[in-house]
């Protein structure tokens, strides 16, 4: 199932630089993301595949069927195409020629691919000067990824980097690899990356807040199964929650980041060893009910506040709530995740997977991510940390009179349903096609 992650880096806290090697060199300098991280001494590396989509030339840096690598900066060494003095930055004042722009000044631009579903890779700058890297697993269009990012952050500029097999991120600390269409254990070899290295790692390490996210079920225990599968849905919600928290400076540990066995007692042991400020366990429900519910300790306190904050944001995304609850057991709290964890902890039950209408609230990647972001916002509220609440990205301009008249004529004359017309208009040249059809009709 596809997912979208947004990673945010503050230049005051991170060293950020580009590294590149000639693509067409006989020595084949392309390296896996893990190799790039080791050689550059980076904490995190992302594939940076910025191409001149219209270029047809060739130079010492190589060419890929007319798509020439250009304007890369490698540790103050010019890796520009054709000897140009321009340098790649992600600021609006220096957009490289030929690179597709997805978002400018908070507006999702037209011309983005709406029909090809691949993994996606974008980089940009937020209004507050932080750098954003947006990536998706396979199954997303350019427009979907751009709208997802613009709907959550105030973006000055977002550039389309890549689509396909070389999309990826590698984190050196724990060996985590995000490479949806990877080739080999460390991702497909690439010739250019953007590198991130944390500044002043030893300065006040206790100042950052820490959150543990338990991801219910997994592996041989799929959890509840109905119109959607609980274990997979839990993971997608948890990943979105993690990504949003990390974007706002919170350290996060997850009990699992892939489909694997993950018992409650393993979660509790990992949580207590991590010693977080807060903990949540992400689940979904079964039993034919409807709505979200969240459990906290019978003793109230911060756990109850966390539950109430999360419920508020879940209701804001349109899901109804069954309430903020407790459950008494024979020796205190009934649920081990709440009873045995040292940190204030809650259990979130997003939807009922065996109720068709309720499962439909979380049966797409975007909806699952919305739950995860709602959980994250409730956590940030409880920690007293602020976050952006940007306005929704503006819709595309209204259809002008000529186009609207053509749509009406074609729909009425041909007897087409509104959904069919939307499909035609979504085609890259759909508007022109509809106008031509209208002109051909008597």
């Amino acid at each position: 199932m596809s997912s979208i992650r947004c990673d945010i880096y503050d230049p005051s806290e991170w060293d950020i630089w580009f590294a590149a090697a000639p693509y067409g060199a006989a020595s084949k300098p392309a390296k896996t993301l893990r190799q790039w991280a080791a050689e550059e001494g980076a904490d995190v590396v992302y594939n940076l595949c910025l191409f001149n989509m219209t270029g047809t030339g060739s130079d010492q840096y190589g060419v890929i069927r007319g798509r020439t690598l250009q304007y890369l900066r490698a540790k103050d060494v010019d890796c520009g195409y054709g000897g140009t003095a321009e340098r790649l930055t992600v600021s609006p004042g220096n957009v490289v020629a030929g690179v597709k722009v997805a978002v400018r000044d908070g507006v999702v631009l037209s011309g983005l691919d709406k029909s090809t579903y691949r993994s996606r890779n974008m980089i940009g700058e937020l209004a507050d000067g932080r750098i954003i890297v947006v990536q998706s697993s396979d199954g997303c269009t350019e427009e979907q990824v751009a709208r997802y990012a613009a709907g959550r952050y105030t973006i000055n500029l977002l550039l389309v980097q890549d689509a396909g097999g070389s999309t990826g991120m590698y984190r050196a600390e724990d060996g985590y690899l995000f490479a949806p269409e990877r080739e080999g254990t460390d991702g497909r070899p690439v010739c250019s990356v953007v590198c991130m290295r944390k500044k002043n790692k030893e300065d006040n390490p206790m100042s950052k807040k820490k959150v543990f996210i338990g991801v219910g079920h997994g592996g041989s225990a799929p959890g509840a199964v109905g119109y959607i599968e609980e274990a997979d849905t839990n993971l997608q919600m948890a990943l979105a929650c993690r990504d949003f928290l990390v974007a706002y400076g919170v350290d996060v540990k997850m009990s699992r980041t892939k489909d694997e066995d993950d018992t409650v007692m393993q979660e509790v042991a990992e949580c207590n060893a991590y010693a977080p400020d807060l903990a949540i366990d992400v689940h979904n429900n079964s039993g034919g009910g409807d709505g979200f519910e969240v459990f906290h300790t019978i003793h109230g306190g911060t756990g109850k506040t966390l539950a109430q904050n999360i419920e508020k944001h879940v209701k804001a995304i349109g899901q109804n709530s069954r309430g903020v609850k407790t459950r008494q057991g024979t020796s205190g709290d009934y649920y081990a995740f709440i009873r045995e964890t040292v940190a204030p902890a809650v259990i979130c039950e997003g939807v009922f997977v065996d109720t068709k209408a309720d499962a439909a609230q979380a049966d797409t990647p975007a909806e699952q991510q919305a739950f995860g972001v709602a959980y994250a916002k409730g956590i940030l509220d409880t920690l007293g940390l602020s976050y952006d609440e940007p306005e929704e990205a503006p819709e595309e301009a209204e259809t002008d009179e000529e186009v609207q008249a053509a749509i009406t004529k074609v729909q009425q004359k041909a007897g087409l349903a509104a959904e069919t017309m939307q499909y035609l208009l979504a085609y890259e040249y759909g508007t022109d096609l509809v106008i031509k059809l209208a002109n051909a009709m008597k």
Side-chain angles (χ1 to χ4, degrees):
M1 183 170 290
S2 59
S3 62
I4 302 173
R5 59 176 295 129
C6 298
D7 296 332
I8 311 294
Y9 296 90
D10 187 336
S12 68
E13 298 178 1
W14 292 83
D15 289 319
I16 303 172
W17 71 96
F18 302 121
Y23 185 88
S27 59
K28 299 187 183 301
K31 310 173 186 70
T32 66
L33 295 178
R34 184 192 298 267
Q35 289 172 320
W36 275 114
E39 293 185 17
E40 293 290 322
D43 295 327
V44 184
V45 294
Y46 296 85
N47 174 44
L48 183 71
C49 230
L50 285 172
F51 295 115
N52 177 353
M53 297 303 183
T54 60
T56 57
S58 177
D59 68 1
Q60 60 184 318
Y61 299 106
V63 71
I64 308 175
R65 291 292 180 188
R67 298 187 299 174
T68 308
L69 280 172
Q70 61 171 5
Y71 305 121
L72 290 174
R73 182 180 177 184
K75 293 187 237 180
D76 297 323
V77 176
D78 180 11
C79 284
Y81 168 63
T84 175
E86 290 186 69
R87 296 290 187 274
L88 173 66
T89 70
V90 293
S91 65
N94 189 14
V95 180
V96 295
V99 172
K100 186 181 292 186
V101 179
V103 180
R104 189 192 295 275
D105 297 329
V107 177
V108 177
L109 302 185
S110 60
L112 296 177
D113 191 317
K114 302 178 182 179
S115 59
T116 306
Y117 293 83
R118 295 295 304 271
S119 55
R120 301 287 173 178
N121 195 15
M122 302 183 185
I123 188 171
E125 182 187 57
L126 301 184
D128 60 12
R130 292 181 298 165
I131 302 301
I132 180 171
V133 183
V134 188
Q135 296 188 308
S136 77
S137 61
D138 55 353
C140 291
T141 67
E142 286 179 351
E143 186 185 52
Q144 286 175 336
V145 174
R147 289 198 178 279
Y148 179 86
R152 285 156 177 78
Y153 303 96
T154 305
I155 299 176
N156 273 356
L157 185 77
L158 189 64
L159 304 178
V160 177
Q161 291 187 57
D162 187 33
S166 53
T167 297
M169 177 274 280
Y170 175 76
R171 188 169 59 220
E173 179 183 11
D174 56 2
Y176 175 66
L177 176 72
F178 180 84
E181 301 177 37
R182 61 180 176 267
E183 294 179 357
T185 56
D186 303 324
R188 178 181 293 181
V190 297
C191 56
S192 56
V193 292
V194 59
C195 303
M196 315 287 185
R197 181 166 55 218
K198 187 71 173 177
K199 297 178 180 178
N200 304 319
K201 295 181 184 179
E202 304 304 321
D203 290 353
N204 197 16
M206 300 303 293
S207 63
K208 294 187 72 174
K209 298 296 185 180
K210 293 165 48 175
V211 170
F212 181 85
I213 303 176
V215 187
H217 308 288
S220 60
V225 178
Y227 294 95
I228 55 177
E229 185 174 294
E230 184 188 3
D232 183 62
T233 304
N234 294 346
L235 179 57
Q236 300 307 319
M237 292 177 174
L239 288 169
C241 179
R242 176 201 65 184
D243 292 347
F244 198 87
L245 291 173
V246 169
Y248 289 98
V250 178
D251 283 338
V252 178
K253 182 176 179 59
M254 294 177 62
S255 64
R256 66 181 177 94
T257 58
K258 59 184 179 181
D259 187 25
E260 61 184 7
D261 290 326
D262 182 34
T263 68
V264 173
M265 294 317 297
Q266 286 173 329
E267 289 183 354
V268 169
E270 291 176 16
C271 180
N272 288 338
Y274 185 56
D277 295 280
L278 300 173
I280 71 168
D281 204 17
V282 179
H283 283 264
N284 283 277
N285 233 326
S286 66
D290 177 81
F292 167 82
E293 58 189 12
V294 55
F295 290 87
H296 64 84
T297 177
I298 57 177
H299 304 295
T302 303
K304 181 177 181 180
T305 301
L306 174 60
Q308 292 170 331
N309 286 336
I310 289 176
E311 182 203 32
K312 174 184 68 177
H313 287 288
V314 170
K315 290 168 69 175
I317 66 173
Q319 171 68 319
N320 63 300
S321 176
R322 298 164 60 88
V324 173
K325 301 180 177 182
T326 62
R327 185 172 178 182
Q328 178 76 47
T330 57
S331 56
D333 283 293
Y334 176 83
Y335 294 110
F337 188 84
I338 294 175
R339 183 182 67 248
E340 302 294 338
T341 52
V342 176
V346 300
I347 298 174
C348 298
E349 300 276 3
V351 302
F352 281 79
V353 304
D354 56 352
T355 300
K356 186 175 182 179
D358 204 39
Q361 301 295 312
D363 63 355
T364 68
E367 290 167 337
Q368 293 162 8
Q369 289 153 5
F371 272 90
V373 170
Y375 298 165
K377 289 180 177 179
I379 292 169
L380 291 171
D381 286 347
T382 308
L383 293 173
L385 301 176
S386 60
Y387 49 90
D388 292 339
E389 285 283 23
E391 298 179 0
E392 287 294 323
E395 295 294 329
E396 293 183 6
E398 294 183 4
T399 308
D400 60 34
E401 293 182 4
E402 178 188 3
V403 176
Q404 186 57 59
I407 291 171
T408 302
K409 184 175 182 179
V410 171
Q411 186 173 358
Q412 292 177 347
K413 292 283 187 179
L416 300 178
E419 291 80 4
T420 303
M421 293 304 301
Q422 292 174 358
Y423 176 80
L424 285 173
L425 291 166
Y427 172 60
E428 184 176 3
Y429 306 107
T431 301
D432 292 340
L433 175 61
V434 170
I435 291 175
K436 287 180 180 179
L437 288 173
N439 291 338
M441 291 178 174
K442 295 181 179 180

